[in-house]
């Protein structure tokens, strides 16, 4: 009876949305998905860690390219992701503040995040520290919705997000210089160069640096907080170099660095006298050797490292996470069959110096894994199966698996079904801090989903239905087995993330339309209440066209109400915002970009008592020789 009830709830979700949104808005949603999903010839690596055409995938994936990033007007990675299907964000104030990304309603820590194949995570809070990642250095984003622990191991309970920096292309060096200004004292500057050299472009390179700053706004306009403006400044740089040793062997090296200094409003006791600041450091680096030994057999050997540091002043707090991984991946193609086998080792370290109240925390752990995969694509059929075994130095072994099937019902219509298991290992802070419990077990998920996609030319329609149940959910509860008398982490929670995602793209009279709408029910199974800061429905609609030499576009985002707390007593109202952007070539090699975010100056909150920026203007000029 319970399973039947869930099926009825999911089937009823489209009707619920039609009632919740005006019919005209709902109809528009059916003629719109996020920008670059319509190009089925795109190649994706995130779904299986193997390059595959998007049209062959039996997974739910979105792609965002550099032109879309630049046109979007987004100033942060999370802001851009929030315009994609199945993604919501929460933020305590403006840019540089604590930010969460919910993929299909799952906890922020349930999304595995990679930059150029390098894992990014915090062993303190759990999950990527999104405010650390500079959008200005990102060239492409791939978003995989749905569990992928059978490919990536721990963390990929809700999905995987991989960000790529720019890669040099054959030809003469291409320099880029850009500057911009906006309201709230916003200033940006960036410079870069990319290209390749050698008789056949054997060495490709891309280097870039950027700086952005803003005076900001009063991010917490309440009586007990400092009424000053809370701005930020960020300097970031990246480098990517590839060497094609010969037709069969290639070496790639990547590096990214970002330093962020942002203001925030502290506790009531210090709010009126102190200039509270967050300081973030992020460093990622990777070295990969790819070898094509025969036409059928290839390998990849990768060493990757990331370092994340968060500190505050004048109140003293520091947390540092160091991650290192080693990957040896093998691919063997036999006709329509693809076999993969990978050995992976991951090493995590957390260091929290004593702040006078808590003792120094310095702990390490490691995970060794064997992952096997099988893919098949022939005619109208597609199959993907994966199995992985992780052995953790602290809690022992964990096995995950997934299986997916795709069928081309007609030339234009494709159906997919999949099922998979996942897990997230407790963070070192959850196990070994004063609030930690050493016997905590991994959080475990089970997901099933089904999808339909129809496409013809520039028009596409898609629908995905999913249900992901997680048990052993780690929550902060009452005092007990840990050293703190105030509370301890516990494996007592259960959650369910279920929903429907509708998406579409269409070109009408020279106007490209895109959009998506999500109906979801992210719920605590023990209390029956909605999970904090997640809505039951959200949508994104966009349009772009060319007018008199200008590329102009608009995007609207809608979100229903949410609860700010687990008890569902503090309500955050729903909202809708409209963003506009326009760009044109004003002279040879020069491009002018203008954008207005939140055109109507909508007052809304993503977290209780924290404000959002309001109307934002920005104008930028970019020079790039053609």
């Amino acid at each position: 009876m319970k399973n039947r009830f869930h099926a009825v709830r999911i089937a009823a979700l489209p009707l619920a949305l039609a009632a919740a949104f005006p019919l005209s808005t709902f109809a528009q949603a059916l003629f719109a998905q996020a920008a670059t999903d319509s190009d089925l010839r795109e190649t994706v690596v995130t779904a299986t860690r193997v390059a595959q055409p998007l049209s062959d995938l039996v997974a739910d994936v979105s792609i965002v390219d550099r032109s879309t990033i630049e046109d979007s007007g987004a100033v942060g990675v999370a802001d851009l992701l929030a315009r994609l299907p199945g993604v919501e964000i929460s933020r305590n104030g403006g840019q540089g503040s604590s930010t969460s990304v919910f993929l299909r309603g799952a906890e922020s820590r349930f999304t595995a995040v990679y930059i150029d194949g390098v894992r990014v995570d915090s062993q303190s809070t759990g999950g990527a520290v999104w405010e650390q990642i500079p959008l200005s250095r990102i060239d492409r984003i791939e978003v995989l919705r749905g569990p992928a622990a059978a490919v990536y191991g721990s963390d990929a309970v809700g999905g995987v997000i991989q960000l790529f920096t720019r890669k040099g292309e054959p030809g003469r060096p291409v320099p880029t210089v850009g500057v911009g200004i906006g309201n709230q004292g916003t200033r940006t500057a960036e410079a870069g160069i990319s290209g390749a050299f050698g008789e056949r472009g054997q060495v490709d390179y891309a280097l870039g640096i950027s700086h952005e700053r803003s005076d900001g706004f009063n991010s917490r306009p309440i009586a007990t907080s400092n009424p000053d403006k809370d701005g930020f400044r960020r300097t970031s740089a990246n480098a990517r170099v590839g060497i094609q040793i010969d037709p069969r062997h290639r070496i790639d090296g990547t590096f990214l660095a970002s330093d962020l200094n942002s203001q925030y409003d502290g506790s009531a006791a210090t709010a009126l006298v102190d200039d509270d600041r967050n300081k973030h450091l992020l460093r990622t680096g990777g070295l990969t050797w790819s070898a094509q030994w025969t036409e059928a057999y290839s390998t990849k050997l990768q060493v990757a490292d990331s370092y994340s540091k968060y500190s505050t002043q004048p109140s003293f707090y520091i947390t540092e996470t160091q991650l290192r991984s080693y990957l040896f991946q093998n691919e063997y193609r036999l006709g329509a069959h693809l076999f993969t086998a990978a050995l992976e080792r991951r090493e995590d370290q957390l260091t929290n110096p004593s702040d006078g109240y808590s003792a120094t925390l310095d702990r390490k752990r490691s995970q060794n894994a064997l992952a096997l995969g099988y893919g098949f694509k022939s005619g109208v059929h597609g199959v993907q199966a994966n199995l992985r075994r992780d052995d953790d130095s602290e809690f022992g072994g964990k096995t995950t698996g997934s299986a997916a099937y795709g069928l081309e019902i007609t030339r234009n219509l494709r159906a997919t079904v999949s099922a998979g298991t996942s897990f997230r290992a407790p963070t070192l802070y959850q196990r070994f801090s004063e609030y930690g419990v050493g016997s905590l077990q991994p959080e475990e998920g089970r997901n099933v989903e089904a999808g339909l996609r129809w496409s013809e030319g520039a028009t596409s329609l898609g629908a995905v239905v999913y249900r992901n149940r997680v048990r052993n959910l780690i929550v902060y509860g009452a005092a007990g087995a840990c050293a703190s008398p105030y509370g301890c982490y516990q494996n007592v929670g259960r959650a369910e993330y279920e929903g429907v995602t509708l998406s579409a793209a269409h070109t009408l009279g020279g106007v490209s339309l895109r959009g998506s709408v999500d109906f979801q029910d992210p719920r605590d199974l023990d209390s029956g209440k909605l999970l904090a800061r997640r809505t039951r429905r959200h949508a994104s609609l966009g349009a772009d066209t060319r007018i008199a030499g200008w590329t102009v576009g608009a995007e609207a985002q809608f979100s229903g109400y949410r609860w700010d707390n687990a008890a569902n007593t503090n309500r955050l109202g729903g909202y809708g915002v409209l963003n506009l952007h326009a760009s044109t070539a004003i002279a040879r090699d020069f491009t002018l970009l203008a954008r207005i975010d939140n055109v109507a100056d909508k007052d809304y909150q993503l977290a209780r008592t924290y404000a959002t920026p309001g109307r934002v203007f920005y104008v930028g000029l970019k020079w790039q020789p053609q």
Side-chain angles (χ1 to χ4, degrees), residues 19 118 133 180 239 242 256 276 317 353 360 389 408 460 483 549 592 611:
V118 181
I133 303 174
L256 181 140
D276 293 294
Y317 177 75
T360 296
R389 176 70 177 181
E408 294 181 8
S460 64
L592 179 69

Side-chain angles (χ1 to χ4, degrees), residues 153 215 260 414-415 492 514 522:
D215 296 337
L260 170 67
R414 192 163 190 245
V492 297
R514 64 189 180 278

Side-chain angles (χ1 to χ4, degrees), residues 180-201:
I181 58 173
N183 65 330
Q184 300 180 354
T186 299
R187 292 89 78 196
T188 67
E190 65 173 316
I193 187 169
S194 63
F197 59 86
E199 292 183 2
R200 299 180 181 177

Side-chain angles (χ1 to χ4, degrees), residues 294-357:
T294 68
E295 186 176 338
Y297 177 57
S298 63
T299 61
K300 181 173 73 173
L301 182 63
Q302 181 188 58
V303 180
D305 191 272
S306 71
Y307 171 75
S308 171
K309 179 180 179 180
Y310 168 68
S311 61
T312 62
Q313 65 176 42
S315 60
F316 177 81
Y317 177 75
I318 297 177
T319 181
E320 300 172 274
T321 295
Q322 184 90 33
L323 308 176
R324 179 163 293 171
S325 62
Y326 307 87
L327 175 67
F328 177 50
Q329 183 165 310
N330 299 260
E331 302 174 23
Y332 183 76
R333 297 182 182 274
L334 182 62
H337 308 273
L338 172 62
F339 301 90
T340 61
L343 295 173
E344 185 171 17
R345 177 176 173 83
R346 296 159 51 152
E347 300 171 351
D348 303 343
Q349 179 176 356
L350 173 66
T351 303
N352 284 9
S354 173
D355 57 6
Y357 301 97

